Amino acid sequence: MRQAGAYSKLVSGGRSGPHALPLARIKKIMKNSSEEVKMISGEAPIVFSKACELFIEELTKRAWAMTLQGKRRTMQREDVASAVITTDLFDFLITLVSDSVPAQESLPVLEP
Amino acid sequence: MEPMDIVGRTKEDASLPKATMTKIIKEMLPPDVRVARDAQDLLIECCVEFINLISSESNEVCNREEKRTIAPEHVLKALEVLGFGEYIEEVYAAYEQHRHETMDTMRSGKWSNGAEMTEEEALAEQQRMFAEARARMNGGGSAPKQSDAEAQPSSNS
């Protein structure tokens, strides 16, 4: 369950360290995302920080599954790309990873 | 000719700190696993893209409700809309925990916001916001009152 951390507000069960993403940096990225981004409440970056953690966790673990499939112990860029391709939820990342796709998994519809 | 902006103040340069990200990533994996540097870089890029995606949608949600400030409820709704509904429960719990810790700080007088709510008022306010957020997450169609613009430190630097 949740640990009451003395450090960041985002210590969650199952993690050994209380590392959290810097809120100011998140806020900066949020503002960059759109020309007309409104004011951002003080608490919104906190919500983002946790969501990012969950997102990284999911992507990392899926990439790791690809690494294991390849019988390796070092995660490579192509593992991340494969994880993106095989997960519908991560479709928004396909363009970002399209140059790292391992040959056997290239989608025919990918734009060059 | 524009000078190279090595300090990274340009709009495109906002990214997440590598050291923190590396630690987070490594913690999620078995201890003997290694992550190639370019794989780490790609993970970080994906995360930034994730923030962009959710930000844009949060902005939309906020617009639709004709609010001026992107609030946590808007972000939660955005997550749901974009298919990340599974995250909502944990995200909301983290938000609640932060709210509790914030309330503690307020009680100790560090956050004097001029309104000087009593503890009962602060707790009532907190419960009201939770209820609103829950109602929103449960698909409530009514727009909640703009509740936290005054009480919370809202900055737009």
Side-chain angles (χ1 to χ4, degrees):
Chain A
M1 296 306 291
R2 239 64 48 190
Q3 304 166 29
Y7 317 92
S8 78
K9 288 85 174 161
L10 297 158
V11 177
S12 61
R15 301 238 200 296
S16 56
H19 308 291
L21 300 171
L23 301 182
R25 200 75 74 92
I26 289 176
K27 202 167 192 179
K28 196 181 282 189
I29 298 174
M30 285 173 74
K31 285 163 126 13
N32 281 355
S33 71
S34 165
E35 285 301 331
E36 39 158 296
V37 161
K38 303 174 173 315
M39 289 173 57
I40 300 167
S41 89
E43 301 151 319
I46 290 161
V47 173
F48 261 95
S49 183
K50 186 63 182 173
C52 283
E53 256 186 60
L54 297 174
F55 168 76
I56 297 168
E57 178 171 17
E58 185 163 4
L59 182 54
T60 300
K61 288 186 173 168
R62 285 176 184 268
W64 174 234
M66 299 293 155
T67 312
L68 290 176
Q69 265 187 40
K71 302 201 194 313
R72 289 174 274 108
R73 294 304 285 182
T74 301
M75 185 188 297
Q76 302 291 346
R77 193 170 170 105
E78 63 188 34
D79 298 323
V80 180
S82 298
V84 165
I85 289 175
T86 55
T87 310
D88 287 347
L89 190 57
F90 297 157
D91 275 357
F92 69 99
L93 296 168
I94 285 199
T95 314
L96 191 60
V97 307
S98 59
D99 61 342
S100 306
V101 176
Q104 68 274 16
E105 294 201 45
S106 304
L107 295 179
V109 297
L110 274 180
E111 307 284 352
Chain B
M1 180 168 68
E2 283 182 297
M4 281 277 289
D5 192 351
I6 58 175
V7 184
R9 296 268 181 249
T10 58
K11 185 175 159 148
E12 289 74 28
D13 280 342
S15 180
L16 297 164
K18 216 160 180 187
T20 308
M21 291 292 289
T22 301
K23 279 192 196 137
I24 292 176
I25 291 166
K26 290 209 153 128
E27 275 166 16
M28 295 172 180
L29 298 167
D32 59 332
V33 169
R34 300 164 67 183
V35 181
R37 184 175 299 177
D38 56 358
Q40 282 180 35
D41 290 345
L42 186 54
L43 284 169
I44 293 173
E45 287 171 39
C46 289
C47 197
V48 172
E49 196 59 31
F50 174 75
I51 296 176
N52 284 336
L53 180 76
I54 308 294
S55 287
S56 297
E57 187 62 33
S58 302
N59 206 25
E60 291 288 307
V61 172
C62 190
N63 275 333
R64 282 198 289 271
E65 300 187 4
E66 297 173 356
K67 295 295 195 316
R68 290 172 295 124
T69 306
I70 297 182
E73 293 87 66
H74 302 143
V75 182
L76 293 174
K77 184 71 183 169
L79 286 170
E80 187 187 345
V81 164
L82 292 166
F84 293 95
E86 284 183 5
Y87 295 2
I88 287 182
E89 195 178 320
E90 271 198 73
V91 169
Y92 186 64
Y95 168 54
E96 269 192 60
Q97 181 186 359
H98 174 258
R99 294 275 305 158
H100 274 101
E101 291 171 2
T102 301
M103 285 298 171
D104 284 346
T105 313
M106 282 175 80
R107 243 182 279 137
S108 73
K110 278 189 188 171
W111 281 13
S112 170
N113 59 4
E116 292 187 1
M117 284 188 281
T118 63
E119 185 173 350
E120 297 94 72
E121 285 169 0
L123 282 171
E125 175 82 353
Q126 181 186 35
Q127 292 308 316
R128 190 175 59 77
M129 287 194 227
F130 286 162
E132 278 176 15
R134 269 187 220 106
R136 302 205 44 69
M137 278 176 17
N138 292 334
S142 59
K145 293 174 291 188
Q146 177 63 303
S147 56
D148 62 348
E150 292 78 37
Q152 295 303 319
S154 169
S155 61
N156 189 22
S157 55

